[in-house]
Amino acid sequence: MWAVPESTGMRKEIFLKIQSVNGFKDILPDSTARWRRVEEAARRVFARFGMREIRTPVLEKTELFVRSIGEATDVVEKEMYTFADKGISMRPEATASILRAFIEHGLHVRQPVHRLYTIGPMFRHERPQKGRLRQFHQLDAEIIGANEPYVDAELIAMGRMFLDELGLAASLEINSLGCHSCRPPYKAALVRFLEERADGLCGDCRRRLHANPLRALDCKNPGCRALVLEAPSLLDNLCPECGRHFQEVGEALDAMGIAFCVNRFMVRGLDYYTRTTFEFLTGDLGAQAAVGAGGRYDGLIEELGGPPLAGIGFAMGLERVLLLLEQKEKETGSPEEGMDLFLAAPGQEALVSCLTLAHFLRAKGMRVAMDYSGRGLKGQLKQAARSGARYTLIAGEEEWARGEAVLRDMSGGGQRPFSLAGGLEERYRRLAGLLQGAEDGPDENCTAPPCQG
Ligand code: HAM
C-alpha cells in the first residue's frame, strides 16, 4: 500500500496492484482445458509404453543438481533458485530428482527396469521470452535399468507419438556424446583445436574452454559457429561400442518409420549425458526451437550413490507444446470446453424448478449452466452463447405452466418443443439422447414462439 503524504492535503490511500513475479505465469481458465488435454494425451500415450507416474518435491539439496547437471553448466552456474543458507534449490529439471527418489527408495530391488514419468513445474532463472519462463512445466519420462539401443529408439518413438497424438509437427535430431572412455580423448583433441583458435571464440566459450569445451559446438555466436565447422567430430571418434550403439538406434528408428537427422553439433546443456542425445525441434517458436529433448545418462545413477544402472529420458517443455497447440488450433479450431446445456429461466418464478432439473442433470454427468439473475430471455440467451452450450432449454414460468419448454440448438440449428411431462429421469433420458445425436434434427414444424436475441 502507498499512502499519499499528508502535506499534500489529500488523505486518500492508494492501493497498488500486486503483480506476479517476472517469468512466473498464471494459467487462466481459458487455457486450462488445453493444458488438461495435453496432460491427458501424455498419460494416454505413456500408458501404452508401460510408463508409471512418480511425483517428487520441488525442493532438493543443491548438491544433487551440482553433482548431476554439472557445476560448469549454465543451469547450475547461473539459473538455479537456491536458498544458499539452507543448501537447497528449487528443481531446474526432473531427471536428478527422479533418480534421487529411485535410489533413495531402492526401486531397482523390485524389478530390473523402471519406466517413470512426471509432470510438473521446474524453475530456472533465465531471461523470460516467448516459450521461455522462470517457472515452466515439463513432461519428463525416464527408462532406468536398460542400455539396449532399442530402448533409446522406443523412448524417442514415445516422444514422437505424444506429439503426433496432439497433431504437432517437430523435426527430430539425434547425436551421440560417446561414453566415459571415448569422450575424454575427444575432449582433449577439441580443447587443442579451440586453444589454437581462442581469439575467434566468444567470451563464454573462452571461459569454459577447459571446463566444458563441448559447449563451443552448439554456441549461438556466429564467430563460434563458423569456427567449429572445422572442429573434429565426436561421431568420428566414438569407440566401437558407442559407434555400434548409435548405428542401431538409427536403424531401429528407421524400422519404425521415424524420420530423424544426425546433428553432430548437438551437445545439450546438462553434463550427465552419454551416448544418444536427441531434440524435437520446431521453427514455429522463434528462438526457442526445442520442444523437447533428452538423452542417455549411463553412469549417473552410480555417481549419485545408486547401483550401476543405465538410463535414458527426455523432457517436453509444456509451455512450448501449448504454444504450438494454440497456433494449430487457431487454424483448425479447437474442441471447445463448452457446456452441454444452458437452462434459461427468464424471471424469478421458474428458478427453483430449473435449479432442481439442473442439479439432477449434473448428477447424471451433464454439463449444465444456469443464470440466477432473473434477467429476461434476451439476456439469458446472451449468457447461454457465452457459456458455449450446445443447447439452451428455455423453461420460464409460462413454459412450466404449459408443460412444454423450447429447446434451442445453439449452433444455429433451429428450435423444437421439449415436453416437461414425466419425471426428472424421463427428461434427462430425452436430453441425453439428444446430446448423443440419437434423435432427429430440429423440428421445422415447431409451434413454440420464436426466441429473441
Ligand atoms: P532440457 O533440454 O534442459 O532437458 O529441457 C527440456 C525441455 O524443457 C526443453 O526442450 C524445453 O522445451 C523445456 N524448457 C527448458 N527450459 C525452459 C524454460 N526456461 N522455459 C520453458 N521451457 C523450458 C532437461 O531438462 C532434461 N532433464 C531432459 C532429460 C530427461 N534428459 C534425460 N531425461
Side-chain angles (χ1 to χ4, degrees), residues 69 75 79 92-96 122-143 155 268-270 272-273 278-281 285 288-297 311-321:
I69 297 171
V75 174
E79 295 168 2
E93 57 114 54
T95 310
M122 311 293 152
F123 306 86
R124 294 184 195 177
H125 192 267
E126 295 188 83
R127 201 162 39 80
Q129 52 176 246
K130 183 179 172 190
R132 190 164 75 192
L133 290 133
R134 290 179 173 171
Q135 176 179 320
F136 60 99
H137 295 75
Q138 279 187 346
L139 162 63
D140 184 284
E142 311 288 346
I143 301 182
L155 183 87
R268 313 276 303 115
L270 315 167
Y272 50 61
Y273 289 115
F278 55 96
E279 290 183 344
F280 290 103
L281 301 165
L285 292 180
Q288 305 312 313
V291 190
R296 187 162 271 293
Y297 43 80
I312 181 166
F314 69 73
M316 295 281 176
L318 289 189
E319 278 75 7
R320 295 184 192 177
V321 169

Side-chain angles (χ1 to χ4, degrees), residues 342 344 346 377 381 392-396 399 404-408 415 451:
F342 187 92
L377 183 58
L381 287 174
T392 296
L393 188 71
I394 302 160
E399 284 79 14
E404 189 175 273
V406 177
L407 189 67
R408 188 181 237 218
Q415 58 189 35
C451 298

